[in-house]
Amino acid sequence: MRTYARGAGGVLSRITLTIALGGLLSACGFDAGSDVGATVQTVALASPTLRPRPAALPLQERVSDSPGLARELSGAFRDAANEVLPAVVRVEAQQAGRGGRAGGIARGSGFVLDEAGHVITNNHVVARATRVLVRFVNGRSYEAEVVGSDQDTDVAVLELKLAAGEQVPAARIGADAPVEVGDWVLALGSPLDLDFTVTAGIVSAKGRQLSIGTEGRQTALESYIQTDAAINPGNSGGPLVDLDGRVVGVNTAIQSPNRRFIGYGFAIPMAIVSRVADDLLEYGVVHRPRLGVSVRDVLDPDAEAYGLDRIEGAWIESVQEGLPAARSGLRHGDVVLAIDGAEVANANELTTQLLQRQPGQRIRLSVRRFQEDREVIVRLDEFEPRKRARTPPTLVAETPTDRVGFSVEAVRSGTGSGTRLVIEDIADGGPVGERARGWEVVSINGVEIGTVRDFRRLASRLEGGDLVSLILTDGEDERIVNYRARP
C-alpha cells in the first residue's frame, strides 16, 4: 500500500534541522537562544534543495501495488465458474395439490454427477414431487425422475430423461479434495429466481452441526462446511466449488431470522454426498454402518486425566449391549483417537468417518483408556435401512386446463361484434403466470383460436412434454409464452 507524507518538503527539512541542531547545542552546554535561531535559519537555507514532490493522484486514479494478484484471483474465480456452470441446473419440482390436482412448485438447484444424466440436489427440494423439470445454463430443459432421496443427509439423486445416446456435461467431483478453513470457494445456483448466479467467499468453518430436524433420529448426520459465500433460497442443491472447479459440497442451508443470507451458509461435504449417492443409485436406499456407541467431544479435563497432548477425540458416553462396540470390548470412558490410522478430531468426525465405511466392514480403532493406548478391531453392523419414501403418484392431465395449465372463456368484444377467447382459470404454478389472466389467446402452436371448442380440440391433442407456444394479447401489447405441456 502506498503512503503519502503530508506537508511541504522545505518546511519538513527546516523543522527537522531545528530540532536536531537545538539538541546538539544543548548537549554541548550552549544556550539555544535567539542567536541559535539565526544560525539554524542559515543552515536550513544552505541545505540541498529537495526534489519537487509529484502531485498526488486522485484516489480513483491510484493503482494498487499488486494488480497482478487481483487479476490472478479474478481469473481463478472465472475459470472455476466456467468449469462447472455448464453442469449446473435449475430444478423445479411440481408438488401435489388438493384433490389430486397440481399444487405449488418448489425451486432449487443441482448439478450433473455423470454423463449418464444423474443429477445431485437436496431432498427437501424434490420431496413429494410429482414432476421434476431441470434447466441448464444453455437453456436446454429436461424432465427428471427421482431415483432416490435420503432425508437424514438431505441428499437426492435425479435421472434426466435423455434421448438415446445423448450426454450432458458433468461436474468434476472433489470428494477427496482437501477443504480447509480460509480456502476460497464459489456457490452456484439459482437463488431468488436469479438464474445461474455465482457468489464467492471462504470456508468459514468445518464440521458444523445445526440440528435441522435431526432430533430423535439415530441415523441423522450433520457435518456442514460453513461459508460466507452468499447462499439464499433457491441455492439449495447447487454446488460449492473450489478454485480448481471441483465440487466440494452441496449448498443446503442458511442461518437467518428472515430467510435471507446474513453471512452464514452451509454445504454438505462432497465425501458424504458421494457415499450417499452411490448407495441410492445402487440400492435405492442408504446402508449405514452401526458401531453401537453414543459419543461426545473430548473436553479439557478429559485430556488432562488421560494424558492426551491435544484436546481431540471422541469420548464414548455409552455402549449398547449386543452391538459391535460391546462385542469388541469398548467401554464407557474410552476415547477414540483414530479410525484405520486417520485421526478423529471430535465426535462428529467419528460419525462422518464411519459413514465412509460399509456394513460388515472391519475397522481398526485407536483408543485411549485412561493412560493406556490400545487397538480394537470392530466388525460393523448396519442400521435398518430407512424404507424408500413412497413416490407421490404422477399427476395425469385429464382436462385441457391440466394439460396446458389454464382454461378459457368466450367474452364479447368491446365493439359488440364477435367474441374474444380469454384466459380464465390458471392452474397452480401454471407456466403462463397469474398476470396472464384476462389476456386473449390469439393462437396455440401457430393455429388461430376462435372458439372454446378450438381450444379444447388443440389441447386434447397435446402429449406430456409437447411444446406449447402461445400468442397472447391484452388489446395493446402482444406476448409470446413457450413451455412444455404437462404429462
Side-chain angles (χ1 to χ4, degrees), residues 84-142:
V84 73
L85 263 174
V88 178
V89 298
R90 174 182 172 128
V91 179
E92 293 187 353
Q94 179 73 59
Q95 306 293 316
R98 293 182 178 179
R101 296 176 64 86
I105 294 179
R107 293 180 172 86
S109 303
F111 60 92
V112 179
L113 180 66
D114 54 41
E115 292 182 346
H118 293 114
V119 170
I120 297 293
T121 187
N122 280 144
N123 168 72
H124 73 260
V125 173
V126 296
R128 301 176 301 280
T130 59
R131 182 192 183 199
V132 180
L133 184 72
V134 305
R135 178 160 51 86
F136 286 79
V137 69
N138 63 7
R140 295 286 295 177
S141 296
Y142 298 88

Side-chain angles (χ1 to χ4, degrees), residues 191-268:
L192 307 174
D193 280 333
L194 300 172
D195 289 352
F196 305 102
T197 295
V198 181
T199 59
I202 64 168
V203 174
S204 306
K206 294 165 56 180
R208 286 291 193 216
Q209 292 181 282
L210 306 178
S211 299
I212 304 176
T214 62
E215 294 80 0
R217 300 212 314 268
Q218 285 185 308
T219 56
L221 175 64
E222 292 187 337
S223 183
Y224 293 114
I225 299 170
Q226 181 180 324
T227 177
D228 63 356
I231 294 173
N232 274 296
N235 271 120
S236 291
L240 188 72
V241 180
D242 66 13
L243 292 192
D244 291 319
R246 299 171 298 188
V247 180
V248 297
V250 175
N251 304 318
T252 191
I254 57 175
Q255 191 171 54
S256 170
N258 59 7
R259 291 180 50 81
R260 295 294 183 267
F261 178 75
I262 59 170
Y264 308 100
F266 302 91
I268 310 166

Side-chain angles (χ1 to χ4, degrees), residues 311-351:
I311 307 174
E312 290 185 353
W315 170 282
I316 296 179
E317 289 189 306
S318 65
V319 178
Q320 299 171 32
E321 291 297 327
L323 292 178
R327 293 196 299 264
S328 301
L330 289 174
R331 302 177 184 174
H332 160 71
D334 287 350
V335 176
V336 179
L337 299 175
I339 299 180
D340 294 329
E343 292 185 355
V344 172
N346 50 46
N348 190 53
E349 190 168 303
L350 173 64
T351 306

Side-chain angles (χ1 to χ4, degrees), residues 139-171:
R140 295 286 295 177
S141 296
Y142 298 88
E143 294 272 351
E145 177 186 358
V146 180
V147 175
S149 192
D150 183 58
Q151 181 182 356
D152 290 333
T153 54
D154 200 15
V155 174
V157 180
L158 315 177
E159 184 174 2
L160 303 181
K161 297 179 180 179
L162 303 176
E166 185 179 6
Q167 293 185 332
V168 289

Side-chain angles (χ1 to χ4, degrees), residues 400 404 406 408 421 444 449 451-459:
V404 299
F406 64 90
V408 296
L421 209 62
I444 299 178
I449 304 298
T451 66
V452 173
R453 179 181 237 176
D454 291 340
F455 168 76
R456 289 176 176 167
R457 177 171 45 82
L458 284 172

Side-chain angles (χ1 to χ4, degrees), residues 321-464:
E321 291 297 327
L323 292 178
R327 293 196 299 264
S328 301
L330 289 174
R331 302 177 184 174
H332 160 71
D334 287 350
V335 176
V336 179
L337 299 175
I339 299 180
D340 294 329
E343 292 185 355
V344 172
N346 50 46
N348 190 53
E349 190 168 303
L350 173 64
T351 306
T352 302
Q353 286 201 38
L354 284 174
L355 185 63
Q356 309 308 311
R357 274 68 176 178
Q358 290 288 350
Q361 183 177 346
R362 293 182 182 275
I363 60 173
R364 177 172 51 88
L365 300 180
S366 300
V367 175
R368 175 69 63 90
R369 181 174 294 170
F370 298 109
Q371 302 287 330
E372 178 188 350
D373 289 324
R374 58 180 60 204
E375 300 289 321
V376 179
I377 304 299
V378 182
R379 184 185 180 93
L380 297 170
D381 279 357
E382 180 179 3
F383 282 102
E384 184 176 349
R386 178 184 292 271
K387 292 182 180 180
R388 189 169 184 173
R390 185 180 67 85
T391 303
T394 300
L395 299 180
V396 178
E398 297 179 351
T399 67
T401 301
D402 294 332
R403 184 74 70 196
V404 299
F406 64 90
S407 63
V408 296
E409 66 172 342
V411 299
R412 288 186 177 276
S413 62
T415 61
S417 57
T419 59
R420 297 180 300 114
L421 209 62
V422 300
I423 294 177
E424 176 190 24
D425 184 30
I426 298 174
D428 290 340
V432 296
E434 281 294 328
R435 67 191 185 100
R437 190 183 302 275
W439 283 54
E440 179 182 355
V441 181
V442 178
S443 68
I444 299 178
N445 291 342
V447 179
E448 292 188 2
I449 304 298
T451 66
V452 173
R453 179 181 237 176
D454 291 340
F455 168 76
R456 289 176 176 167
R457 177 171 45 82
L458 284 172
S460 64
R461 293 176 180 173
L462 293 171
E463 299 289 340

